[in-house]
Amino acid sequence: MSALGEEIKGIIVRALPNLSEETQLQLISRLQSSGLESKEDLKYVQQEDVADLLPVIQLRKLLDAIQSPRPLSSSSPLETTSPLSSPSSLPSTSSSNLSELSSPDSRGFPSQLSKTWPETFQVPWDHMPLEIRSAIANGKRPTPAERRQMVRVLADEMRKYEANPTRSQCLTVCQKIVRQYPQSFADVFADGSLMAGGHTSLLIQVKTRIENLNRDSSFARHRTPRCSGSSSVRKRGPTDTYGCTRFQPDLPPSETDDSVEQKRQRLEEIHRQEGASGVERAEVCSLMETTFCLLRRHINAIPVPTIEDIRSKWPYLFNQRCIYAHFELLTDLNVLRLLELAMEECGRVIIEYFQSKSTNKDVQAVLSQGENTDVALNVVQLLMAYFTETTNGLILLADSSATVTDVEKTLTLPLTPRLILLAGRWMISLEGHVLFEGIQPTFVTGLPALFSVYYIFNLQYQDEAACTLEFIQRFIGINPERGTKASRGKTVSKRTGRVVQKKSVTVNPRVSTLLKNLIDFEWNFI
């Protein structure tokens, strides 16, 4: 282990002495792969960076040890912040607070010069409804109605600094609130672990409120000017890079273009000799990781290469194991593990929500068919019904004994990705052909493979399943501040009656509504 790794391990052991050796190594690996270069870089670590590795209390203890000079305390999360035993003890945005921002230090420079307003923003707790203050003081979650009142006050205060705060600015404020009062505002699983950083639902509410207030103002206009001129040069856009952390990485330090190409050719040679079974070799896994940068360069090329062109040069990509591995290198997320955990911990509650709350006739039709033994499949069917998306917009059924050739001949395979279900098997199709067959029989292993395809091959979500795919995306923690993976589509303008392009939104309103309804169902998910 490197010297930096040893230092990190020492901090982890001091904060969490009973943590297993395996989890310690996972934490060290995650931090270093995120770009940690020195001990000083630890101050940039945030909850969402390691939220999937630790329970929420252990996570807070570790962050406290990493980022705070004071010794660890055994007090509860609420006790580490100022207690709210009465309204008079709440933090306030007084003039003295504001004067501190502009008062110079001993060197003559403003003490907060490097900080933006969201970083120094003071939440006006003294202006919040009494019910909100009481909930915070008692470590309880406010009711949905109380929380909406809080969001209104918060948005009004933020707009005193900037009329239309960006999503990034709203994120900074929401993160501070959730870190200060996690028991009242954090999005958590039933076991107490954070979901997607713990701040997503509050961020959605705050940003939606601000957008509603600015709906009729000039801020609602698209602020990015269109490119002019007749240049035919095309570049990859934000939809392609959306959710990716290593969209087009540089060559590994010890490699050159020639050496990486030689390793790609070695992969082709192994495939010629051993076929698909060669994927089990450790050498293949290592070579696929080393040549990841070259593969991304091929996929990202303009004009866009065909799937068959990619397959001819990278045959081992078209395999369940390598699809998962490529997605993890691309996004830093283990899609299979995240979806399995999410369905195990939250799938049943989604079903119960639809059973008890939904009056949607399509949802009721799915429920009337009886509950599927596969929870993940049942959840997806209910989501698609709720969003009025037909199941074949994402999933196709085929004869249990069908081969790849049979499927391509008997089914009309669309250009956009589909998960093809056979009895005890599944396949993934794209551009009218089967990409590969799964090596595990369950739906919950096929779904992450299908989802990975959109990110690996730079695809937009098809309109027929866009809401369901966005819900799954947020289900596993992909929450970029800007952009969307869904196409804008067309709609009829209520004002002019003409067909126009839909407005691009970061979070689909229907997805946002469902997420908030799930919170109202008193489910600590998101």
Side-chain angles (χ1 to χ4, degrees), residues 47 64 69 127 158 226-227 273 282 304 314 329 347 372 375 377 379 387 462 471 499 516 518:
Q47 284 186 343
D64 192 62
H127 296 155
M158 291 170 66
R226 293 183 179 273
C227 296
Q273 294 173 351
V304 179
W314 304 91
L329 288 171
N372 196 300
V375 171
L377 178 56
V379 167
F387 292 126
Q462 60 261 34
F471 187 94
V499 176
K516 287 186 284 188
L518 289 169

Side-chain angles (χ1 to χ4, degrees), residues 306-359:
T306 65
I307 291 299
E308 288 309 310
D309 182 33
I310 297 172
R311 190 196 298 272
S312 67
K313 292 182 171 62
W314 304 91
Y316 281 120
L317 174 62
F318 298 85
N319 170 279
Q320 179 182 334
R321 174 181 292 182
C322 291
I323 284 286
Y324 292 158
H326 189 100
F327 182 87
E328 186 165 5
L329 288 171
L330 185 63
T331 65
D332 288 329
L333 295 173
N334 185 325
V335 65
L336 175 62
R337 180 170 178 267
L338 288 171
L339 261 176
E340 285 180 332
L341 283 174
M343 289 297 179
E344 180 182 334
E345 297 174 355
C346 310
R348 178 61 54 187
V349 184
I350 292 180
I351 294 171
E352 291 176 359
Y353 166 79
F354 284 122
Q355 287 173 335
S356 61
K357 295 291 183 180
S358 180
T359 58

Side-chain angles (χ1 to χ4, degrees), residues 360-377:
N360 181 310
K361 65 178 183 179
D362 295 324
V363 170
Q364 293 302 317
V366 173
L367 292 173
S368 67
Q369 296 170 8
E371 197 167 314
N372 196 300
T373 54
D374 191 321
V375 171
L377 178 56

Side-chain angles (χ1 to χ4, degrees), residues 201-467:
S201 63
L202 182 59
L203 174 61
I204 289 172
Q205 284 185 285
V206 171
K207 186 57 181 168
T208 299
R209 173 64 179 170
I210 287 171
E211 287 175 350
N212 286 340
L213 292 171
N214 288 316
R215 181 174 293 163
D216 296 325
S217 73
S218 60
F219 292 107
R221 300 172 189 163
H222 198 302
R223 289 181 281 184
T224 304
R226 293 183 179 273
C227 296
S228 58
S230 58
S231 173
S232 60
V233 177
R234 295 174 58 202
K235 294 182 179 180
R236 285 293 179 185
T239 299
D240 301 323
T241 60
Y242 181 83
C244 300
T245 56
R246 299 180 68 210
F247 181 73
Q248 187 54 76
D250 295 328
L251 289 167
S254 59
E255 302 288 348
T256 64
D257 285 338
D258 289 340
S259 67
V260 174
E261 172 59 21
Q262 288 172 6
K263 290 176 179 177
R264 185 198 68 77
Q265 292 175 9
R266 172 59 181 157
L267 283 167
E268 282 189 296
E269 180 185 348
I270 295 173
H271 191 267
R272 281 194 299 270
Q273 294 173 351
E274 302 184 24
S277 62
V279 76
E280 301 296 331
R281 293 178 54 165
E283 181 186 6
V284 169
C285 296
S286 176
L287 288 172
M288 286 295 292
E289 184 169 351
T290 303
T291 58
F292 173 78
C293 56
L294 186 60
L295 175 51
R296 289 310 309 168
R297 192 184 302 169
H298 188 182
I299 292 173
N300 297 340
I302 299 291
V304 179
T306 65
I307 291 299
E308 288 309 310
D309 182 33
I310 297 172
R311 190 196 298 272
S312 67
K313 292 182 171 62
W314 304 91
Y316 281 120
L317 174 62
F318 298 85
N319 170 279
Q320 179 182 334
R321 174 181 292 182
C322 291
I323 284 286
Y324 292 158
H326 189 100
F327 182 87
E328 186 165 5
L329 288 171
L330 185 63
T331 65
D332 288 329
L333 295 173
N334 185 325
V335 65
L336 175 62
R337 180 170 178 267
L338 288 171
L339 261 176
E340 285 180 332
L341 283 174
M343 289 297 179
E344 180 182 334
E345 297 174 355
C346 310
R348 178 61 54 187
V349 184
I350 292 180
I351 294 171
E352 291 176 359
Y353 166 79
F354 284 122
Q355 287 173 335
S356 61
K357 295 291 183 180
S358 180
T359 58
N360 181 310
K361 65 178 183 179
D362 295 324
V363 170
Q364 293 302 317
V366 173
L367 292 173
S368 67
Q369 296 170 8
E371 197 167 314
N372 196 300
T373 54
D374 191 321
V375 171
L377 178 56
N378 208 191
V379 167
V380 170
Q381 289 173 330
L382 288 168
L383 288 172
M384 298 197 79
Y386 173 82
F387 292 126
T388 61
E389 297 172 338
T390 57
T391 306
N392 60 13
L394 198 64
I395 300 167
L396 299 176
L397 301 179
D399 186 84
S400 59
S401 60
T403 63
V404 169
T405 303
D406 293 335
V407 168
E408 291 182 340
K409 285 183 177 179
T410 59
L411 295 182
T412 302
L413 300 178
L415 295 177
T416 51
R418 292 296 187 278
L419 176 60
I420 303 166
L421 298 183
L422 307 90
R425 294 186 297 143
W426 54 263
M427 302 175 184
I428 302 294
S429 74
L430 177 63
E431 293 185 358
H433 298 283
V434 173
L435 284 186
F436 59 90
E437 289 190 74
I439 56 177
Q440 293 170 291
T442 57
F443 177 81
V444 80
T445 59
L447 183 60
L450 175 73
F451 186 78
S452 298
V453 165
Y454 292 93
Y455 288 78
I456 292 172
F457 297 110
N458 306 326
L459 305 173
Q460 290 184 321
Y461 301 148
Q462 60 261 34
D463 290 340
E464 309 97 295
C467 291

